[in-house]
């Protein structure tokens, strides 16, 4: 497999074949993200992608899940993306699902029919970075989409029959906007009503605009219990049909895996208890936290 630059995947794609179809992220402007810093975005050629597919096929074992890297495979125009998915279907033994990161702008460039076509070709899950539901903060972090567009993109994925997993970022509003961020994020999650939510804690990456803001004193991270207060509010104030909500990413202080709404009360009570007791011994230690 010929990978270029940084290749990442969601934790749940740990066993998937990572098939790089683009290099970098077409947006690459979010103030907190340094994943593809300095990488020039491009779509790989069909020939290069197919070479990797054929190499994986030559291993002779069933592969199951395929994850399309990098940041934003849905930006690929439909007439170029369809042959890639067709080749995966034709060559990969034991294929059970194809997954991809998605960003709002790319999703909204696809029509509902195009997304349904991708679903028919095996696209079963998309991971959408929501980060916050606070309208002002979405502009500040340069997410490249507003509240209504994000909801529309999320609903379009779900309506196409594709499972939707979204991420939100604890702490991205800093101390100043902490509570507003948490409450508005609960609202946007309710409006999207995704199958999965992953809450991550913002980590300050050197050489990102957020890092510069922190250094200039224009941004202050909430303390540990401030992050947990945000998590509690997001769980308490969101309203899902049936969502698997996790905060077990390595960046978090309290790893939770919840089925909501069923386990809401227990989770909120647990978080309240931890916040009130200020007991740091029950938290994941700093040295075990990371991206
Ligand atoms: S859209 Fe995702 S990958 Fe691209 S800059 Fe923003 S957070 Fe990073």
């Amino acid at each position: 497999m010929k990978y270029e630059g940084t290749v990442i995947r969601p934790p749940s794609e740990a066993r998937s074949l990572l098939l790089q179809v683009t290099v970098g992220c077409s947006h690459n402007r979010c103030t907190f993200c340094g994943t593809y810093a300095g990488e020039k975005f491009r779509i790989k050629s069909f020939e290069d992608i197919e070479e990797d597919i054929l190499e994986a096929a030559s291993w002779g074992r069933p592969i199951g899940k395929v994850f399309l890297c990098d940041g934003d495979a849905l930006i690929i125009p439909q007439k170029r993306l369809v042959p890639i998915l067709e080749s995966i279907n034709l060559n990969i033994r034991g294929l059970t699902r194809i997954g991809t990161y998605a960003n709002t702008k790319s999703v909204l460039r696809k029509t509902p029919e195009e997304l349904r076509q991708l679903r028919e070709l095996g696209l079963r899950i998309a991971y959408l970075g929501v980060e916050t539901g606070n309208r002002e903060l979405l502009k500040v972090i340069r997410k490249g989409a507003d509240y209504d567009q994000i909801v529309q993109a999320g609903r379009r994925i779900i309506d196409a029959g594709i499972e939707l997993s979204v991420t939100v970022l604890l702490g991205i509003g800093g101390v100043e906007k902490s509570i507003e961020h948490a409450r508005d994020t609960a609202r946007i999650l309710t409006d999207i009503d995704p199958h999965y939510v992953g809450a991550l804690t913002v980590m300050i990456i050197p050489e990102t605009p957020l890092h510069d803001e922190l250094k200039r004193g224009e941004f202050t991270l909430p303390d540990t219990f401030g992050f947990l207060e945000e998590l509690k509010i997001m769980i308490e104030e969101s309203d899902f049909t049936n969502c698997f909500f996790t905060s077990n990413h390595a960046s978090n202080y309290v790893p939770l895996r919840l089925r909501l709404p069923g386990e809401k009360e227990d989770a909120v009570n647990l978080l309240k208890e931890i916040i009130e007791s200020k007991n740091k011994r029950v938290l994941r230690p700093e040295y075990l936290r990371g991206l």
Side-chain angles (χ1 to χ4, degrees):
M1 308 296 285
K2 286 175 294 312
Y3 296 121
E4 290 177 44
T6 312
V7 175
I8 59 163
R9 47 127 187 105
S12 48
E13 300 287 341
R15 292 170 182 274
S16 307
L17 171 74
L18 302 183
L19 181 68
Q20 191 177 34
V21 295
T22 67
V23 177
C25 162
S26 63
H27 179 57
N28 214 11
R29 295 195 69 229
C30 300
T31 59
F32 55 89
C33 176
T35 308
Y36 303 110
E39 278 186 33
K40 195 166 178 313
F41 175 78
R42 72 179 177 85
I43 300 171
K44 288 178 99 172
S45 71
F46 179 75
E47 290 69 31
D48 284 349
I49 297 167
E50 187 154 65
E51 211 176 294
D52 280 350
I53 294 171
L54 294 177
E55 183 189 330
S58 73
W59 299 336
R61 56 180 160 82
I63 284 179
K65 297 195 282 184
V66 173
F67 184 72
L68 307 178
C69 308
D70 284 341
D72 174 21
L74 288 184
I75 193 78
I76 301 175
Q78 192 78 351
K79 63 178 188 312
R80 290 178 68 178
L81 188 52
V82 165
I84 297 169
L85 268 55
E86 284 173 341
S87 177
I88 295 171
N89 278 277
L90 186 67
N91 294 296
I92 298 295
R93 270 182 56 206
L95 184 70
T96 54
R97 80 171 193 198
I98 300 171
T100 182
Y101 285 123
N103 84 33
T104 295
K105 269 197 283 190
S106 325
V107 174
L108 294 182
R109 284 168 66 160
K110 299 267 180 242
T111 64
E113 294 70 32
E114 286 175 331
L115 287 173
R116 273 195 289 276
Q117 184 185 22
L118 299 178
R119 164 71 174 74
E120 292 302 311
L121 288 166
L123 184 66
R124 292 286 189 275
I125 186 160
Y127 299 83
L128 180 72
V130 168
E131 331 306 357
T132 180
N134 183 268
R135 291 173 191 269
E136 199 183 320
L137 203 47
L138 282 167
K139 287 186 205 149
V140 172
I141 66 172
R142 297 195 220 137
K143 195 61 211 167
D146 65 23
Y147 185 106
D148 300 322
Q149 290 169 322
I150 295 171
V151 173
Q152 197 188 348
R155 292 304 316 168
R156 194 173 288 187
I157 290 171
I158 294 169
D159 291 345
I162 299 167
E163 290 204 313
L164 178 66
S165 177
V166 308
T167 50
V168 295
L169 266 184
L170 305 175
I172 192 64
V175 170
E176 201 189 324
K177 286 195 169 299
S178 181
I179 302 301
E180 280 170 77
H181 157 55
R183 302 198 69 178
D184 292 341
T185 302
R187 197 166 305 129
I188 201 169
L189 290 176
T190 302
D191 286 346
I192 299 172
D193 200 13
H195 303 91
Y196 306 95
V197 174
L200 278 60
T201 301
V202 69
M203 305 286 278
I204 306 294
I205 313 295
E207 293 176 30
T208 57
L210 188 62
H211 183 259
D212 296 342
E213 283 173 37
L214 189 87
K215 274 202 319 203
R216 290 196 300 267
E218 294 163 11
F219 179 83
T220 310
L221 275 175
D223 68 11
T224 312
F225 296 102
F227 290 129
L228 295 183
E229 181 66 29
E230 290 185 9
L231 181 61
K232 178 183 73 77
I233 292 171
M234 287 180 198
I235 295 172
E236 194 168 26
E237 298 193 10
S238 54
D239 188 8
F240 298 107
T241 304
N242 184 7
C243 175
F244 191 60
F245 188 111
T246 61
S247 68
N248 60 346
H249 186 266
S251 61
N252 291 323
Y253 287 98
V254 176
L256 298 175
R257 290 163 62 83
L258 312 167
R259 185 58 70 180
L260 294 178
E263 294 174 283
K264 178 186 283 205
E265 202 180 326
D266 288 350
V268 169
N269 287 339
L270 172 72
L271 288 166
K272 269 186 190 158
E273 221 173 88
I274 297 173
I275 294 165
E276 278 163 20
S277 73
K278 299 257 185 290
N279 179 1
K280 286 202 170 178
R281 276 178 301 181
V282 298
L283 307 179
R284 179 181 270 147
E286 286 294 344
Y287 70 90
L288 287 180
R289 292 181 61 239
L291 273 179

